[in-house]
Amino acid sequence: MPLKLLDATISTFDSVFEKFRAEAPKNKANLIVFLADKDPSTSLSWCPDCVRAEPVIYKKLEATADDVALLRAYVGDRPTWRNPVHPWRVDSRFKLTGVPTLVRWENDAIKGRLEDHEAHVESKIDALVAGN
């Protein structure tokens, strides 16, 4: 299967990210999607933009014939994410401002990003995967 999924939380991110980085050269595209956690009582994300974007992202990535890696990084519950010093808000590699955020990771750096308001747009996902 061309799509390789890895999941990480704030606490597991460093180790999962190292694995993702080590395997990156084997893939045509390496993407990270930062998502809101699912509410345990409803099994739904607390983030409406994530609910809208996730199925579109998966559909587009599963349709590609190329080897693509997707690291799903879950930012936590709403209060955790709202903290201005959330680890991924202040991390100089990511500088997150919203979820979902889909980034292309290439040569150990971000080479493109789709923010919350555009992460569901199919043509933009295609361009990001293609490196355009």
Side-chain angles (χ1 to χ4, degrees):
M1 181 169 153
L3 180 60
K4 303 170 194 165
L5 288 174
L6 294 165
D7 289 333
T9 62
I10 297 168
S11 61
T12 64
F13 184 78
D14 288 342
S15 62
V16 175
F17 187 57
E18 285 309 311
K19 180 180 179 188
F20 174 81
R21 290 172 62 198
E23 295 175 1
K26 302 175 189 170
N27 303 313
K28 172 82 172 159
N30 297 283
L31 304 166
I32 306 169
V33 62
F34 294 92
L35 298 164
D37 282 18
K38 303 216 182 315
D39 181 328
S41 64
T42 63
S43 296
L44 298 173
S45 171
W46 55 261
C47 163
D49 289 335
C50 295
V51 171
R52 178 172 63 166
E54 265 192 279
V56 179
I57 292 168
Y58 301 148
K59 179 181 91 169
K60 297 306 290 179
L61 298 184
E62 288 167 355
T64 183
D66 297 319
D67 286 336
V68 174
L70 178 65
L71 170 53
R72 295 184 293 197
Y74 292 94
V75 302
D77 60 17
R78 189 184 305 258
T80 301
W81 171 243
R82 295 282 182 226
N83 183 341
V85 293
H86 185 287
W88 297 326
R89 286 185 186 275
V90 298
D91 189 317
S92 61
R93 295 171 298 184
F94 307 118
K95 297 180 187 146
L96 286 190
T97 59
V99 288
T101 296
L102 180 64
V103 299
R104 181 181 176 98
W105 188 261
E106 190 176 302
N107 297 322
D108 226 24
I110 290 176
K111 295 298 184 204
R113 96 170 35 219
L114 297 176
E115 301 283 343
D116 47 3
H117 61 280
E118 59 188 359
H120 68 284
V121 179
E122 292 190 29
S123 60
K124 291 187 176 197
I125 296 168
D126 289 340
L128 187 70
V129 171
N132 297 336

